[in-house]
PDB file of all heavy atoms in Angstrom:
ATOM      1  N   ASP A 152      49.656  36.916 -60.892  1.00 96.00           N
ATOM      2  CA  ASP A 152      49.778  37.436 -59.517  1.00 96.00           C
ATOM      3  C   ASP A 152      51.147  38.107 -59.304  1.00 96.00           C
ATOM      4  O   ASP A 152      51.914  38.276 -60.257  1.00 96.00           O
ATOM      5  CB  ASP A 152      49.507  36.337 -58.492  1.00 96.00           C
ATOM      6  CG  ASP A 152      50.542  35.226 -58.523  1.00 96.00           C
ATOM      7  OD1 ASP A 152      51.641  35.453 -59.096  1.00 96.00           O
ATOM      8  OD2 ASP A 152      50.261  34.124 -58.003  1.00 96.00           O
ATOM      9  N   GLY A 153      51.430  38.461 -58.053  1.00 94.00           N
ATOM     10  CA  GLY A 153      52.652  39.180 -57.730  1.00 94.00           C
ATOM     11  C   GLY A 153      53.932  38.400 -57.996  1.00 94.00           C
ATOM     12  O   GLY A 153      55.012  38.981 -57.952  1.00 94.00           O
ATOM     13  N   THR A 154      53.788  37.105 -58.295  1.00 94.00           N
ATOM     14  CA  THR A 154      55.019  36.348 -58.628  1.00 94.00           C
ATOM     15  C   THR A 154      55.378  36.462 -60.121  1.00 94.00           C
ATOM     16  O   THR A 154      56.484  36.140 -60.515  1.00 94.00           O
ATOM     17  CB  THR A 154      54.842  34.835 -58.291  1.00 94.00           C
ATOM     18  OG1 THR A 154      53.803  34.298 -59.108  1.00 94.00           O
ATOM     19  CG2 THR A 154      54.505  34.636 -56.817  1.00 94.00           C
ATOM     20  N   THR A 155      54.437  36.949 -60.942  1.00 93.00           N
ATOM     21  CA  THR A 155      54.707  37.049 -62.381  1.00 93.00           C
ATOM     22  C   THR A 155      54.712  38.487 -62.874  1.00 93.00           C
ATOM     23  O   THR A 155      55.209  38.750 -63.967  1.00 93.00           O
ATOM     24  CB  THR A 155      53.690  36.246 -63.199  1.00 93.00           C
ATOM     25  OG1 THR A 155      52.374  36.643 -62.771  1.00 93.00           O
ATOM     26  CG2 THR A 155      53.854  34.759 -63.044  1.00 93.00           C
ATOM     27  N   VAL A 156      54.185  39.392 -62.068  1.00 93.00           N
ATOM     28  CA  VAL A 156      54.051  40.786 -62.531  1.00 93.00           C
ATOM     29  C   VAL A 156      55.222  41.581 -61.990  1.00 93.00           C
ATOM     30  O   VAL A 156      55.598  41.478 -60.825  1.00 93.00           O
ATOM     31  CB  VAL A 156      52.709  41.363 -62.046  1.00 93.00           C
ATOM     32  CG1 VAL A 156      52.656  42.848 -62.211  1.00 93.00           C
ATOM     33  CG2 VAL A 156      51.560  40.719 -62.822  1.00 93.00           C
ATOM     34  N   THR A 157      55.820  42.456 -62.847  1.00 92.00           N
ATOM     35  CA  THR A 157      56.971  43.231 -62.364  1.00 92.00           C
ATOM     36  C   THR A 157      56.541  44.694 -62.010  1.00 92.00           C
ATOM     37  O   THR A 157      57.157  45.296 -61.152  1.00 92.00           O
ATOM     38  CB  THR A 157      58.058  43.313 -63.442  1.00 92.00           C
ATOM     39  OG1 THR A 157      57.460  43.765 -64.660  1.00 92.00           O
ATOM     40  CG2 THR A 157      58.712  41.939 -63.648  1.00 92.00           C
ATOM     41  N   ARG A 158      55.490  45.191 -62.640  1.00 92.00           N
ATOM     42  CA  ARG A 158      55.063  46.555 -62.361  1.00 92.00           C
ATOM     43  C   ARG A 158      53.695  46.540 -61.670  1.00 92.00           C
ATOM     44  O   ARG A 158      52.729  46.013 -62.227  1.00 92.00           O
ATOM     45  CB  ARG A 158      54.988  47.382 -63.639  1.00 92.00           C
ATOM     46  CG  ARG A 158      56.387  47.565 -64.293  1.00 92.00           C
ATOM     47  CD  ARG A 158      56.327  48.492 -65.494  1.00 92.00           C
ATOM     48  NE  ARG A 158      55.439  48.005 -66.524  1.00 92.00           N
ATOM     49  CZ  ARG A 158      55.775  47.093 -67.450  1.00 92.00           C
ATOM     50  NH1 ARG A 158      56.977  46.578 -67.434  1.00 92.00           N
ATOM     51  NH2 ARG A 158      54.918  46.699 -68.351  1.00 92.00           N
ATOM     52  N   ALA A 159      53.658  47.049 -60.445  1.00 87.00           N
ATOM     53  CA  ALA A 159      52.438  46.932 -59.642  1.00 87.00           C
ATOM     54  C   ALA A 159      51.354  47.919 -60.097  1.00 87.00           C
ATOM     55  O   ALA A 159      51.635  48.931 -60.727  1.00 87.00           O
ATOM     56  CB  ALA A 159      52.782  47.203 -58.166  1.00 87.00           C
ATOM     57  N   LYS A 160      50.083  47.612 -59.781  1.00 91.00           N
ATOM     58  CA  LYS A 160      48.971  48.525 -60.009  1.00 91.00           C
ATOM     59  C   LYS A 160      49.346  49.863 -59.351  1.00 91.00           C
ATOM     60  O   LYS A 160      49.944  49.860 -58.286  1.00 91.00           O
ATOM     61  CB  LYS A 160      47.682  47.997 -59.389  1.00 91.00           C
ATOM     62  CG  LYS A 160      47.276  46.617 -59.901  1.00 91.00           C
ATOM     63  CD  LYS A 160      46.141  46.029 -59.039  1.00 91.00           C
ATOM     64  CE  LYS A 160      45.870  44.579 -59.391  1.00 91.00           C
ATOM     65  NZ  LYS A 160      44.886  43.950 -58.502  1.00 91.00           N
ATOM     66  N   PRO A 161      49.078  51.017 -59.945  1.00 94.00           N
ATOM     67  CA  PRO A 161      48.128  51.272 -61.047  1.00 94.00           C
ATOM     68  C   PRO A 161      48.707  51.010 -62.419  1.00 94.00           C
ATOM     69  O   PRO A 161      48.047  51.352 -63.421  1.00 94.00           O
ATOM     70  CB  PRO A 161      47.797  52.747 -60.860  1.00 94.00           C
ATOM     71  CG  PRO A 161      48.999  53.356 -60.225  1.00 94.00           C
ATOM     72  CD  PRO A 161      49.551  52.293 -59.318  1.00 94.00           C
ATOM     73  N   ASP A 162      49.899  50.434 -62.543  1.00 96.00           N
ATOM     74  CA  ASP A 162      50.384  50.038 -63.879  1.00 96.00           C
ATOM     75  C   ASP A 162      49.429  48.946 -64.391  1.00 96.00           C
ATOM     76  O   ASP A 162      49.040  48.052 -63.638  1.00 96.00           O
ATOM     77  CB  ASP A 162      51.808  49.488 -63.766  1.00 96.00           C
ATOM     78  CG  ASP A 162      52.436  49.299 -65.113  1.00 96.00           C
ATOM     79  OD1 ASP A 162      52.051  48.293 -65.822  1.00 96.00           O
ATOM     80  OD2 ASP A 162      53.286  50.107 -65.520  1.00 96.00           O
ATOM     81  N   PRO A 163      49.104  48.986 -65.682  1.00 98.00           N
ATOM     82  CA  PRO A 163      48.119  48.002 -66.190  1.00 98.00           C
ATOM     83  C   PRO A 163      48.694  46.616 -66.462  1.00 98.00           C
ATOM     84  O   PRO A 163      47.935  45.715 -66.901  1.00 98.00           O
ATOM     85  CB  PRO A 163      47.662  48.661 -67.509  1.00 98.00           C
ATOM     86  CG  PRO A 163      48.759  49.565 -67.899  1.00 98.00           C
ATOM     87  CD  PRO A 163      49.429  50.045 -66.628  1.00 98.00           C
ATOM     88  N   GLU A 164      49.971  46.379 -66.177  1.00 97.00           N
ATOM     89  CA  GLU A 164      50.628  45.111 -66.583  1.00 97.00           C
ATOM     90  C   GLU A 164      49.834  43.863 -66.169  1.00 97.00           C
ATOM     91  O   GLU A 164      49.626  42.954 -66.966  1.00 97.00           O
ATOM     92  CB  GLU A 164      52.044  45.029 -66.008  1.00 97.00           C
ATOM     93  CG  GLU A 164      52.770  43.782 -66.512  1.00 97.00           C
ATOM     94  CD  GLU A 164      54.114  43.549 -65.788  1.00 97.00           C
ATOM     95  OE1 GLU A 164      54.437  44.261 -64.808  1.00 97.00           O
ATOM     96  OE2 GLU A 164      54.797  42.604 -66.217  1.00 97.00           O
ATOM     97  N   VAL A 165      49.368  43.809 -64.915  1.00 97.00           N
ATOM     98  CA  VAL A 165      48.717  42.606 -64.414  1.00 97.00           C
ATOM     99  C   VAL A 165      47.472  42.264 -65.267  1.00 97.00           C
ATOM    100  O   VAL A 165      47.238  41.094 -65.614  1.00 97.00           O
ATOM    101  CB  VAL A 165      48.371  42.735 -62.918  1.00 97.00           C
ATOM    102  CG1 VAL A 165      47.475  43.932 -62.631  1.00 97.00           C
ATOM    103  CG2 VAL A 165      47.726  41.466 -62.374  1.00 97.00           C
ATOM    104  N   PHE A 166      46.726  43.270 -65.647  1.00 98.00           N
ATOM    105  CA  PHE A 166      45.501  43.032 -66.410  1.00 98.00           C
ATOM    106  C   PHE A 166      45.780  42.748 -67.873  1.00 98.00           C
ATOM    107  O   PHE A 166      45.111  41.920 -68.507  1.00 98.00           O
ATOM    108  CB  PHE A 166      44.510  44.192 -66.243  1.00 98.00           C
ATOM    109  CG  PHE A 166      44.091  44.414 -64.816  1.00 98.00           C
ATOM    110  CD1 PHE A 166      43.947  45.669 -64.282  1.00 98.00           C
ATOM    111  CD2 PHE A 166      43.835  43.310 -63.992  1.00 98.00           C
ATOM    112  CE1 PHE A 166      43.564  45.872 -62.955  1.00 98.00           C
ATOM    113  CE2 PHE A 166      43.455  43.495 -62.658  1.00 98.00           C
ATOM    114  CZ  PHE A 166      43.325  44.762 -62.156  1.00 98.00           C
ATOM    115  N   LEU A 167      46.821  43.394 -68.427  1.00 98.00           N
ATOM    116  CA  LEU A 167      47.194  43.139 -69.820  1.00 98.00           C
ATOM    117  C   LEU A 167      47.737  41.722 -69.955  1.00 98.00           C
ATOM    118  O   LEU A 167      47.426  40.979 -70.921  1.00 98.00           O
ATOM    119  CB  LEU A 167      48.232  44.154 -70.310  1.00 98.00           C
ATOM    120  CG  LEU A 167      47.676  45.580 -70.447  1.00 98.00           C
ATOM    121  CD1 LEU A 167      48.774  46.581 -70.754  1.00 98.00           C
ATOM    122  CD2 LEU A 167      46.586  45.621 -71.514  1.00 98.00           C
ATOM    123  N   GLN A 168      48.482  41.271 -68.954  1.00 98.00           N
ATOM    124  CA  GLN A 168      48.973  39.869 -68.942  1.00 98.00           C
ATOM    125  C   GLN A 168      47.785  38.909 -68.862  1.00 98.00           C
ATOM    126  O   GLN A 168      47.730  37.883 -69.533  1.00 98.00           O
ATOM    127  CB  GLN A 168      49.849  39.586 -67.739  1.00 98.00           C
ATOM    128  CG  GLN A 168      51.340  39.801 -67.961  1.00 98.00           C
ATOM    129  CD  GLN A 168      52.183  39.183 -66.819  1.00 98.00           C
ATOM    130  OE1 GLN A 168      51.807  38.151 -66.231  1.00 98.00           O
ATOM    131  NE2 GLN A 168      53.310  39.798 -66.526  1.00 98.00           N
ATOM    132  N   GLY A 169      46.808  39.260 -68.039  1.00 98.00           N
ATOM    133  CA  GLY A 169      45.614  38.425 -67.878  1.00 98.00           C
ATOM    134  C   GLY A 169      44.853  38.287 -69.177  1.00 98.00           C
ATOM    135  O   GLY A 169      44.451  37.182 -69.590  1.00 98.00           O
ATOM    136  N   ALA A 170      44.654  39.432 -69.882  1.00 98.00           N
ATOM    137  CA  ALA A 170      43.930  39.393 -71.155  1.00 98.00           C
ATOM    138  C   ALA A 170      44.699  38.550 -72.185  1.00 98.00           C
ATOM    139  O   ALA A 170      44.096  37.759 -72.918  1.00 98.00           O
ATOM    140  CB  ALA A 170      43.765  40.817 -71.675  1.00 98.00           C
ATOM    141  N   ALA A 171      46.036  38.668 -72.194  1.00 98.00           N
ATOM    142  CA  ALA A 171      46.830  37.920 -73.135  1.00 98.00           C
ATOM    143  C   ALA A 171      46.708  36.428 -72.866  1.00 98.00           C
ATOM    144  O   ALA A 171      46.547  35.613 -73.786  1.00 98.00           O
ATOM    145  CB  ALA A 171      48.293  38.367 -73.042  1.00 98.00           C
ATOM    146  N   ARG A 172      46.723  36.047 -71.570  1.00 98.00           N
ATOM    147  CA  ARG A 172      46.603  34.619 -71.228  1.00 98.00           C
ATOM    148  C   ARG A 172      45.261  34.068 -71.656  1.00 98.00           C
ATOM    149  O   ARG A 172      45.119  32.901 -71.982  1.00 98.00           O
ATOM    150  CB  ARG A 172      46.799  34.468 -69.711  1.00 98.00           C
ATOM    151  CG  ARG A 172      48.196  34.801 -69.200  1.00 98.00           C
ATOM    152  CD  ARG A 172      49.141  33.611 -69.238  1.00 98.00           C
ATOM    153  NE  ARG A 172      48.650  32.508 -68.403  1.00 98.00           N
ATOM    154  CZ  ARG A 172      48.887  32.424 -67.091  1.00 98.00           C
ATOM    155  NH1 ARG A 172      49.554  33.373 -66.478  1.00 98.00           N
ATOM    156  NH2 ARG A 172      48.433  31.385 -66.435  1.00 98.00           N
ATOM    157  N   ALA A 173      44.242  34.926 -71.645  1.00 98.00           N
ATOM    158  CA  ALA A 173      42.885  34.467 -72.031  1.00 98.00           C
ATOM    159  C   ALA A 173      42.665  34.633 -73.521  1.00 98.00           C
ATOM    160  O   ALA A 173      41.625  34.199 -74.057  1.00 98.00           O
ATOM    161  CB  ALA A 173      41.822  35.255 -71.266  1.00 98.00           C
ATOM    162  N   GLY A 174      43.588  35.278 -74.217  1.00 98.00           N
ATOM    163  CA  GLY A 174      43.416  35.541 -75.628  1.00 98.00           C
ATOM    164  C   GLY A 174      42.270  36.485 -75.923  1.00 98.00           C
ATOM    165  O   GLY A 174      41.602  36.395 -76.968  1.00 98.00           O
ATOM    166  N   ALA A 175      42.044  37.434 -75.003  1.00 98.00           N
ATOM    167  CA  ALA A 175      40.914  38.392 -75.127  1.00 98.00           C
ATOM    168  C   ALA A 175      41.425  39.792 -75.425  1.00 98.00           C
ATOM    169  O   ALA A 175      42.503  40.191 -74.957  1.00 98.00           O
ATOM    170  CB  ALA A 175      40.109  38.388 -73.855  1.00 98.00           C
ATOM    171  N   ALA A 176      40.646  40.547 -76.193  1.00 98.00           N
ATOM    172  CA  ALA A 176      40.973  41.962 -76.450  1.00 98.00           C
ATOM    173  C   ALA A 176      40.657  42.759 -75.168  1.00 98.00           C
ATOM    174  O   ALA A 176      39.692  42.460 -74.476  1.00 98.00           O
ATOM    175  CB  ALA A 176      40.159  42.483 -77.600  1.00 98.00           C
ATOM    176  N   ALA A 177      41.481  43.759 -74.923  1.00 98.00           N
ATOM    177  CA  ALA A 177      41.263  44.568 -73.705  1.00 98.00           C
ATOM    178  C   ALA A 177      39.838  45.137 -73.676  1.00 98.00           C
ATOM    179  O   ALA A 177      39.208  45.160 -72.585  1.00 98.00           O
ATOM    180  CB  ALA A 177      42.257  45.733 -73.653  1.00 98.00           C
ATOM    181  N   SER A 178      39.321  45.531 -74.808  1.00 98.00           N
ATOM    182  CA  SER A 178      37.997  46.150 -74.837  1.00 98.00           C
ATOM    183  C   SER A 178      36.865  45.160 -74.479  1.00 98.00           C
ATOM    184  O   SER A 178      35.750  45.584 -74.159  1.00 98.00           O
ATOM    185  CB  SER A 178      37.694  46.729 -76.230  1.00 98.00           C
ATOM    186  OG  SER A 178      37.839  45.707 -77.217  1.00 98.00           O
ATOM    187  N   SER A 179      37.171  43.848 -74.502  1.00 98.00           N
ATOM    188  CA  SER A 179      36.147  42.852 -74.126  1.00 98.00           C
ATOM    189  C   SER A 179      36.349  42.314 -72.721  1.00 98.00           C
ATOM    190  O   SER A 179      35.651  41.384 -72.304  1.00 98.00           O
ATOM    191  CB  SER A 179      36.109  41.731 -75.154  1.00 98.00           C
ATOM    192  OG  SER A 179      37.247  40.898 -74.985  1.00 98.00           O
ATOM    193  N   CYS A 180      37.320  42.916 -71.978  1.00 98.00           N
ATOM    194  CA  CYS A 180      37.564  42.469 -70.598  1.00 98.00           C
ATOM    195  C   CYS A 180      36.861  43.373 -69.604  1.00 98.00           C
ATOM    196  O   CYS A 180      36.776  44.586 -69.802  1.00 98.00           O
ATOM    197  CB  CYS A 180      39.070  42.529 -70.273  1.00 98.00           C
ATOM    198  SG  CYS A 180      40.054  41.375 -71.238  1.00 98.00           S
ATOM    199  N   VAL A 181      36.403  42.782 -68.503  1.00 98.00           N
ATOM    200  CA  VAL A 181      35.902  43.555 -67.357  1.00 98.00           C
ATOM    201  C   VAL A 181      36.673  43.178 -66.125  1.00 98.00           C
ATOM    202  O   VAL A 181      36.861  41.998 -65.836  1.00 98.00           O
ATOM    203  CB  VAL A 181      34.405  43.257 -67.125  1.00 98.00           C
ATOM    204  CG1 VAL A 181      33.898  43.960 -65.858  1.00 98.00           C
ATOM    205  CG2 VAL A 181      33.576  43.695 -68.324  1.00 98.00           C
ATOM    206  N   VAL A 182      37.176  44.197 -65.420  1.00 98.00           N
ATOM    207  CA  VAL A 182      37.992  44.004 -64.222  1.00 98.00           C
ATOM    208  C   VAL A 182      37.160  44.263 -62.979  1.00 98.00           C
ATOM    209  O   VAL A 182      36.434  45.268 -62.905  1.00 98.00           O
ATOM    210  CB  VAL A 182      39.205  44.968 -64.258  1.00 98.00           C
ATOM    211  CG1 VAL A 182      39.952  44.950 -62.922  1.00 98.00           C
ATOM    212  CG2 VAL A 182      40.149  44.611 -65.380  1.00 98.00           C
ATOM    213  N   PHE A 183      37.248  43.370 -62.002  1.00 98.00           N
ATOM    214  CA  PHE A 183      36.560  43.523 -60.694  1.00 98.00           C
ATOM    215  C   PHE A 183      37.585  43.911 -59.656  1.00 98.00           C
ATOM    216  O   PHE A 183      38.531  43.152 -59.449  1.00 98.00           O
ATOM    217  CB  PHE A 183      35.856  42.228 -60.303  1.00 98.00           C
ATOM    218  CG  PHE A 183      34.719  41.861 -61.177  1.00 98.00           C
ATOM    219  CD1 PHE A 183      34.949  41.245 -62.412  1.00 98.00           C
ATOM    220  CD2 PHE A 183      33.414  42.146 -60.844  1.00 98.00           C
ATOM    221  CE1 PHE A 183      33.886  40.917 -63.252  1.00 98.00           C
ATOM    222  CE2 PHE A 183      32.334  41.824 -61.657  1.00 98.00           C
ATOM    223  CZ  PHE A 183      32.590  41.218 -62.873  1.00 98.00           C
ATOM    224  N   GLU A 184      37.407  45.054 -59.031  1.00 98.00           N
ATOM    225  CA  GLU A 184      38.438  45.632 -58.163  1.00 98.00           C
ATOM    226  C   GLU A 184      37.848  46.329 -56.931  1.00 98.00           C
ATOM    227  O   GLU A 184      36.764  46.946 -57.061  1.00 98.00           O
ATOM    228  CB  GLU A 184      39.235  46.706 -58.924  1.00 98.00           C
ATOM    229  CG  GLU A 184      40.573  46.287 -59.458  1.00 98.00           C
ATOM    230  CD  GLU A 184      41.606  46.020 -58.385  1.00 98.00           C
ATOM    231  OE1 GLU A 184      41.386  46.357 -57.197  1.00 98.00           O
ATOM    232  OE2 GLU A 184      42.650  45.435 -58.721  1.00 98.00           O
TER     233      GLU A 184
END
Side-chain angles (χ1 to χ4, degrees):
D152 64 19
T154 64
T155 50
V156 167
T157 53
R158 294 186 301 278
K160 301 169 190 175
D162 190 285
E164 184 189 7
V165 58
F166 298 140
L167 292 173
Q168 268 194 32
R172 294 272 298 277
S178 57
S179 72
C180 293
V181 175
V182 170
F183 293 80
E184 259 292 348

